[in-house]
Amino acid sequence: MATHAHPKRTGLWDWLTTVDHKKIGILYLIAGGFFFLIGGLEALLMRIQLMYPNQEIFVGGSFNQLLTMHGTTMIFLAAMPIIFALMNAIVPLQIGARDVAFPFLNSLGFWLFFLGGLLLNLSWFLGGAPDAGWTAYLPLSGKNYSGMGVDFYVLGLQIAGIGTWIGGINFLVTIINMRAPGLTFMRLPMFTWSVFVTSALILFAFPAITVSLVLLMFDRLFGGAFFEPALGGNIVIWQHLFWVFGHPEVYILILPAFGVISEVIATFSKKRIFGYSAMVFATVLIGFLGFMVWVHHMFTVGLGPVANSLFSIATMLIAVPTGIKIFNWLFTMWGGQIRFTAANLWAVGFLPTFVIGGMTGVMLSVPPADYQFHDSYFVVAHFHYTIVGGMVFALFAGLHYWWPKMFGKILNETLGKIGFWFFFIGFHLTFFPQHFLGLMGMPRRVFTFLPNQGLELGNFISTIGAFSMTIGTLVFLYNVIVTATRGEKASNDPWDARTLEWTISSPAPEYNFAQTPLVRGLDAFWVEKMAGKKKMTPAEPLGEIHMPSPSILPFIMSLGLFIAGFGFMHHAYLIVIIGLGTTVVCMFLRSIYDDPGYHVHPDEEEVKA
Amino acid sequence: MSRWNLSWRLLPLLAVMMLVLTGCAQDPYLSALDPKGPVASAQLSLIMLSLYIMIGVFVVVMVIYVYVLFRFRKRPGQTGIPEQVEGNHKLEIIWTVIPLILLAVLAVPTVSLTFDLAEKHSTEEALQVKVTAHQFWWEFEYPDLEISAGQDLYIPTGQKIQFQVTAKDVMHAIWIPALGGKIDTNPGMTNNMWLQADKPGTYKGKCAELCGPSHALMDFKVIALEPAEFDKWVNNMKATATKTVPASAQAGQEVFNQSCIGCHAVDATKGVKVPDIAPNLAGFADRTVLAGFIEHNNENLAQWIKNPQSLKPGNLMPAFEGKLDEQQINDLVEYMNTLTLE
């Protein structure tokens, strides 16, 4: 076996060409965090407009751009990428792998997502952002009723969507094929399990959104009539396709959050997860049922009582596996030694908040009640309780928990707790009153409300809460800066944790594991600790480690599609050919040049330590 | 001391009560929490049933949660390793089966009411109303009475109203929270829904589906009248076909006939026979608001005619500032004030 030179790269070039899952995880975190701030700013502007009745700060079309971009950005460009950040940073480490199955694809997935998201956000400067809601219902999102913004939505999301889909496949293959010896499926950490199920959902759900975006693209750009009632088209088809994707999407978001909570609660209670096999079963069942319930977003479309009843009962069923999870988390803490670190504070704060989101979810599954809730602020409250109170809380828990493993430093605990309280209290102030606003007759997506309808108080409190959440987020950002400049250096295992990622240095070396570990049970590291050992038993002799080469091709391929996107929306087919041509040439280069990678020697010091 | 504690504990409850009570305002009614008809009442009782079940679950979770967080927090100096419990089949079966039973309790009335509300009533059983939603106004046609109205929906009390709803341009959704839940109005399709008002009064209606820049302003009113009053209203509406204009308003009528009649009818019996791109103005002078939400006075009406975009962005009415002079606009306002049903 030939040893190839170790190509040392630094700076920007290193980040553009890296195929290392840990660095790609950081890229996802930076990009997702950036979009999270943009989406948060959009939310804050909306709340300022709605602080008092009849304000005229963002009126009509400009408010609709804000609400559309807030939803689209938060779902596709903030929530999913930050999940991908944790997936990339942690899953290979949790399964004792040296990288993901397809490092090149991993990089391609990131750059597609990032450039797709950039394309979408450039709409602000190039003729206005999309304004038909993140759901882009037809005919409002058709070419007769909305401007160029929706073209950016259609093309940006297609490009970003390919990236996500590639990522999903990559993690499925990684988790199936690259587990360390002894790490059977029923020994996988809960976070890895949830990523596995989420990846399967991505595999099946993203084709549906891609198909619907392609159909909409044909309608808008090439004179199609799939959704044009006057020409025999049907607008409800869009809603079916969108929600066949859209409902699994919410489970794509929440399942990894469940995974994070399981890890954090188990570690900080110093106990193994209660009812592990039930937890796994519940995760798989939620993923499966997630595909069976999309019509509960469409109870008011007029599909008839049979469809509404069937989908109602299917939706209620999801409460059962979700309830199992809640009780298992409670009983994981039962009898434990609970430490209230910042990470665990987020996880503990998640529990009641998510239960409220689940409760309103069951209430929404009742069609006659949903006729009142639907498209009102009650729904806005519900999905923010699940997505922010559920997923974002879990992401903060995960970030505080795994920060040492990603960056080698522990986030400041005091700042972490201050940020939590501002965000937690602000969150409930913002969204709890919205349940009542909805029932009191406030539809969602309105840029203003009239005085003397009883809606003033709730809206005012809600805006105050939004400011508190903003402060919480800023405290977190400040914490990141403080920690980076003078944070405490983290040991391998700062939390006395249970899983494989904590057996190696913080941050992990380039090759992750000098020797692939041998796994002897659930919570592999804990098993060794209980046996009185300080480290894992290796499953292979020490030797040279094969690494994939960095490559600039994923970036250029994505850039090609980015350029082609602009060409499509301006009907400039020369630019389309240049863009797609660039991508195809890169694919060709990638195919004909064999890349043998290179080898590294593990750090002797580290192996001894 | 204990009283102090109690008042603190009651504070959140008081806050919620205040929030809810502000929603139970007087006529015009808006809130779904204050139902004014059988559909809204049935929906609210189902909401309350699901809420009670959920609160029951929430209380159980919170009791365990609070107990666990206090009882099992790590104490200073605590050492040793807690017992690594794998699970407990009995417990796990309990929290699988009990939720299933609770959901079954909820599912039965759910399915039954879902079918009830989907029932389609014939002309003998219910007053038929065809609703067509437009960007950003509502058209109500009474096929059996042969009249149609814009913006204000008049209905008789104590009688089922069977709606057939559709939309002309984009999707909207018709929602009258105090009378019942909503249904989408889909272009190219017709949906059915029935509602009923028990008492006379004014009920606020909203568009619930994002439909463009003025989605927030697409309000309308439902005015429920005693059956006898309603019949009187129907006759008055029919009389708009033959109504004569007082001499003082004739100059304004001339302006109307030159500039407005291409889009707006003032004759309730003509309704949809005129190009249905703008609301029928029969009974316009009786409406308390303009364009669904603006206070009805001469100044606002003149402003609307001059520049409707400044009040309701994205609506389709052209601006008449510059096209009509000040005198013509005043005449027009004068004329429109005569469009009453008396």
Side-chain angles (χ1 to χ4, degrees):
Chain A
M1 200 191 293
T3 304
H4 296 269
H6 183 178
K8 258 279 179 240
R9 295 166 199 233
T10 51
L12 183 65
W13 185 251
D14 177 41
W15 288 102
L16 288 176
T17 58
T18 185
V19 295
D20 178 350
H21 71 96
K22 298 176 288 297
K23 285 184 178 160
I24 290 173
I26 291 171
L27 285 174
Y28 267 116
L29 182 61
I30 293 169
F34 170 69
F35 287 126
F36 180 79
L37 292 180
I38 291 180
L41 180 65
E42 286 154 0
L44 192 63
L45 295 179
M46 286 192 285
R47 276 315 328 161
I48 290 172
Q49 160 69 16
L50 290 172
M51 193 166 180
Y52 299 106
N54 275 339
Q55 290 208 102
E56 296 191 352
I57 307 166
F58 301 99
V59 170
S62 52
F63 189 87
N64 289 355
Q65 293 181 23
L66 284 177
L67 73 88
T68 303
M69 287 301 284
H70 168 70
T72 313
T73 302
M74 284 305 196
I75 298 276
F76 291 100
L77 310 180
M80 303 228 12
I82 298 178
I83 287 171
F84 267 85
L86 291 181
M87 281 162 72
N88 266 292
I90 302 305
V91 167
L93 305 183
Q94 277 199 332
I95 63 173
R98 296 224 163 86
D99 207 319
V100 292
F102 307 116
F104 182 93
L105 275 192
N106 202 12
S107 160
L108 180 62
F110 169 76
W111 289 111
L112 283 170
F113 139 70
F114 181 65
L115 288 170
L118 205 60
L119 179 67
L120 177 55
N121 271 280
L122 284 176
S123 63
W124 285 114
F125 310 104
L126 302 170
D131 55 3
W134 87 279
T135 49
Y137 272 16
L138 273 295
L140 187 61
S141 62
K143 58 178 182 286
N144 298 332
Y145 297 102
S146 55
M148 274 245 345
V150 181
D151 293 334
F152 281 92
Y153 172 93
V154 163
L155 287 153
L157 286 191
Q158 279 187 72
I159 295 170
I162 300 169
T164 308
W165 197 62
I166 289 175
I169 293 173
N170 201 350
F171 276 88
L172 275 180
V173 179
T174 302
I175 295 170
I176 293 173
N177 283 339
M178 304 193 52
R179 284 166 290 127
L183 185 53
T184 60
F185 268 96
M186 288 315 276
R187 288 176 177 177
L188 280 183
M190 275 318 295
F191 179 64
T192 299
W193 249 118
S194 66
V195 168
F196 182 70
V197 177
T198 277
S199 302
L201 295 187
I202 289 174
L203 179 68
F204 292 109
F206 268 74
I209 184 80
T210 307
V211 167
S212 50
L213 289 171
V214 168
L215 295 183
L216 181 56
M217 179 170 83
F218 270 79
D219 265 22
R220 289 187 60 91
L221 298 176
F222 311 123
F226 294 106
F227 308 117
E228 184 64 66
L231 298 173
N234 184 324
I235 57 160
V236 177
I237 291 172
W238 166 270
Q239 296 181 35
H240 280 294
L241 283 171
F242 186 87
W243 290 116
V244 164
F245 150 78
H247 198 77
E249 167 70 16
V250 302
Y251 292 102
I252 289 170
L253 298 177
I254 201 67
L255 287 178
F258 289 169
V260 172
I261 297 297
S262 301
E263 303 282 322
V264 172
I265 283 190
T267 295
F268 293 110
S269 305
K270 223 173 184 179
K271 274 187 67 197
R272 62 175 278 164
I273 194 86
F274 186 92
Y276 172 82
S277 39
M279 289 296 255
V280 170
F281 181 71
T283 307
V284 176
L285 194 63
I286 292 172
F288 178 76
L289 287 174
F291 280 98
M292 307 290 151
V293 297
W294 78 91
V295 165
H296 72 214
H297 299 268
M298 301 168 64
F299 281 154
T300 65
V301 169
L303 300 175
V306 178
N308 282 3
S309 301
L310 284 174
F311 280 92
S312 159
I313 290 169
T315 305
M316 288 180 188
L317 285 179
I318 293 187
V320 177
T322 315
I324 291 175
K325 283 187 162 285
I326 300 285
F327 284 108
N328 279 345
W329 286 321
L330 290 175
F331 278 80
T332 301
M333 296 193 288
W334 188 289
Q337 296 168 4
I338 306 171
R339 281 176 290 160
F340 291 99
T341 57
N344 200 28
L345 218 46
W346 284 102
V348 166
F350 162 99
L351 280 177
T353 314
F354 187 76
V355 171
I356 295 175
M359 283 167 57
T360 52
V362 174
M363 293 171 70
L364 279 158
S365 74
V366 175
D370 179 72
Y371 300 158
Q372 288 285 17
F373 301 139
H374 185 80
D375 270 334
S376 79
Y377 256 83
F378 188 90
V379 172
V380 177
H382 160 71
F383 66 70
H384 283 95
Y385 262 82
T386 55
I387 294 180
V388 183
M391 197 206 55
V392 174
F393 279 24
L395 286 180
F396 275 117
L399 286 174
H400 281 90
Y401 180 59
W402 281 308
W403 201 267
K405 198 48 69 181
M406 290 178 80
F407 297 99
K409 289 185 173 177
I410 297 175
L411 281 173
N412 183 299
E413 278 288 303
T414 313
L415 285 174
K417 287 173 188 174
I418 294 172
F420 165 79
W421 283 112
F422 271 109
F423 200 94
F424 182 81
I425 293 170
F427 167 82
H428 286 281
L429 280 181
T430 308
F431 296 109
F432 196 74
Q434 292 184 359
H435 294 111
F436 297 96
L437 288 176
L439 282 168
M440 281 151 54
M442 184 162 165
R444 71 190 275 206
R445 293 169 165 172
V446 291
F447 71 78
T448 191
F449 57 97
L450 298 177
N452 304 320
Q453 298 188 354
L455 305 176
E456 287 95 334
L457 181 65
N459 275 297
F460 182 77
I461 297 175
S462 192
T463 302
I464 298 298
F467 280 107
S468 177
M469 288 169 80
T470 309
I471 295 171
T473 309
L474 293 177
V475 170
F476 178 78
L477 281 185
Y478 176 68
N479 193 356
V480 169
I481 295 165
V482 167
T483 304
T485 49
R486 45 174 205 269
E488 170 190 351
K489 183 104 187 54
S491 64
N492 288 8
D493 180 22
W495 310 121
D496 189 15
R498 314 173 69 84
T499 40
L500 276 181
E501 71 269 31
W502 305 103
T503 62
I504 51 178
S505 63
S506 303
E510 189 188 3
Y511 43 81
N512 298 351
F513 295 87
Q515 291 165 289
T516 303
L518 179 70
V519 173
R520 303 196 299 165
L522 178 67
D523 293 343
F525 190 23
W526 186 258
V527 169
E528 302 300 327
K529 282 182 187 174
M530 287 300 103
K533 295 187 184 169
K534 289 241 161 20
K535 47 186 267 192
M536 300 298 296
T537 312
E540 62 177 10
L542 201 58
E544 282 202 326
I545 296 166
H546 179 225
M547 302 298 293
S549 309
S551 169
I552 191 66
L553 289 181
F555 176 74
I556 297 176
M557 282 168 81
S558 310
L559 198 62
L561 288 184
F562 175 81
I563 291 166
F566 273 109
F568 273 119
M569 68 178 83
H570 292 285
H571 296 277
Y573 293 106
L574 187 64
I575 295 179
V576 172
I577 291 167
I578 292 172
L580 290 182
T582 310
T583 305
V584 171
V585 167
C586 289
M587 289 165 77
F588 182 71
L589 288 176
R590 166 77 179 160
S591 302
I592 56 164
Y593 285 107
D594 197 22
D595 172 22
Y598 63 94
H599 288 78
V600 290
H601 295 281
D603 186 346
E604 301 282 340
E605 288 304 307
E606 171 154 358
V607 176
K608 276 188 216 125
Chain B
M1 183 66 195
S2 67
R3 177 168 299 181
W4 173 248
N5 276 344
L6 186 70
S7 60
W8 269 107
R9 256 177 276 155
L10 286 177
L11 205 62
L13 186 70
L14 281 175
V16 168
M17 290 296 290
M18 223 164 90
L19 211 62
V20 173
L21 287 176
T22 50
C24 301
Q26 288 303 299
D27 198 355
Y29 302 103
L30 174 63
S31 177
L33 296 170
D34 187 14
K36 297 292 177 193
V39 173
S41 299
Q43 286 169 338
L44 186 64
S45 44
L46 207 46
I47 290 173
M48 294 318 286
L49 173 67
S50 59
L51 183 63
Y52 291 140
I53 295 176
M54 288 300 119
I55 285 179
V57 175
F58 186 69
V59 166
V60 172
V61 170
M62 288 315 288
V63 166
I64 302 175
Y65 177 80
V66 171
Y67 175 74
V68 162
L69 290 191
F70 281 96
R71 173 68 183 77
F72 299 109
R73 63 188 313 158
K74 187 178 166 70
R75 281 155 230 283
Q78 190 176 22
T79 51
I81 288 162
E83 193 195 341
Q84 302 291 306
V85 185
E86 223 174 279
N88 182 325
H89 285 298
K90 207 180 281 173
L91 277 176
E92 287 174 63
I93 288 168
I94 288 173
W95 62 61
T96 308
V97 173
I98 290 181
L100 276 173
I101 295 170
L102 291 177
L103 290 176
V105 170
L106 182 58
V108 173
T110 295
V111 172
S112 141
L113 189 60
T114 305
F115 276 85
D116 280 354
L117 294 183
E119 212 176 311
K120 217 163 129 182
H121 301 276
S122 65
T123 305
E124 288 73 46
E125 298 166 302
L127 175 68
Q128 308 287 314
V129 179
K130 274 190 186 170
V131 179
T132 309
H134 302 255
Q135 276 182 328
F136 302 93
W137 60 278
W138 300 88
E139 175 186 316
F140 305 106
E141 193 196 343
Y142 302 74
D144 300 330
L145 307 174
E146 294 174 328
I147 51 172
S148 67
Q151 294 296 25
D152 284 1
L153 168 66
Y154 283 79
I155 56 168
T157 54
Q159 192 183 343
K160 286 182 176 138
I161 316 295
Q162 181 68 48
F163 293 97
Q164 296 151 44
V165 307
T166 188
K168 207 77 203 170
D169 34 51
V170 302
M171 270 185 77
H172 307 265
I174 179 168
W175 186 27
I176 310 153
L179 297 185
K182 60 192 76 65
I183 194 150
D184 293 348
T185 66
N186 302 326
M189 289 168 224
T190 302
N191 275 335
N192 293 285
M193 170 176 78
W194 69 271
L195 296 177
Q196 179 177 326
D198 287 336
K199 288 197 197 101
T202 303
Y203 308 99
K204 291 206 148 216
K206 300 264 179 189
C207 172
E209 181 65 58
L210 179 65
C211 58
S214 281
H215 165 55
L217 306 176
M218 199 172 149
D219 288 7
F220 66 100
K221 275 202 210 115
V222 181
I223 296 153
L225 303 172
E226 299 280 5
E229 291 285 305
F230 179 75
D231 290 342
K232 213 166 105 196
W233 175 80
V234 172
N235 288 332
N236 286 339
M237 282 296 268
K238 285 186 174 165
T240 55
T242 53
K243 201 167 159 67
T244 51
V245 175
S248 62
Q250 270 178 0
Q253 188 184 30
E254 230 160 82
V255 179
F256 191 90
N257 286 345
Q258 278 164 15
S259 303
C260 315
I261 204 133
C263 301
H264 290 286
V266 289
D267 171 356
T269 62
K270 280 196 177 154
V272 292
K273 296 184 188 95
V274 196
D276 52 350
I277 50 174
N280 190 312
L281 297 177
F284 175 83
D286 300 334
R287 296 185 197 163
T288 55
V289 288
L290 301 171
F293 72 102
I294 306 158
E295 194 194 336
H296 189 158
N297 58 38
N298 289 350
E299 210 173 301
N300 285 344
L301 180 55
Q303 172 63 20
W304 175 270
I305 296 167
K306 284 183 202 158
N307 188 0
Q309 290 300 323
S310 69
L311 297 168
K312 202 172 188 179
N315 83 82
L316 294 179
M317 178 163 153
F320 282 90
E321 197 159 32
K323 290 186 201 156
L324 297 177
D325 62 34
E326 206 62 32
Q327 183 57 43
Q328 285 173 309
I329 288 176
N330 288 341
D331 290 346
L332 196 51
V333 170
E334 180 93 353
Y335 165 69
M336 294 187 71
N337 284 336
T338 67
L339 297 173
T340 64
L341 294 181
E342 303 311 319

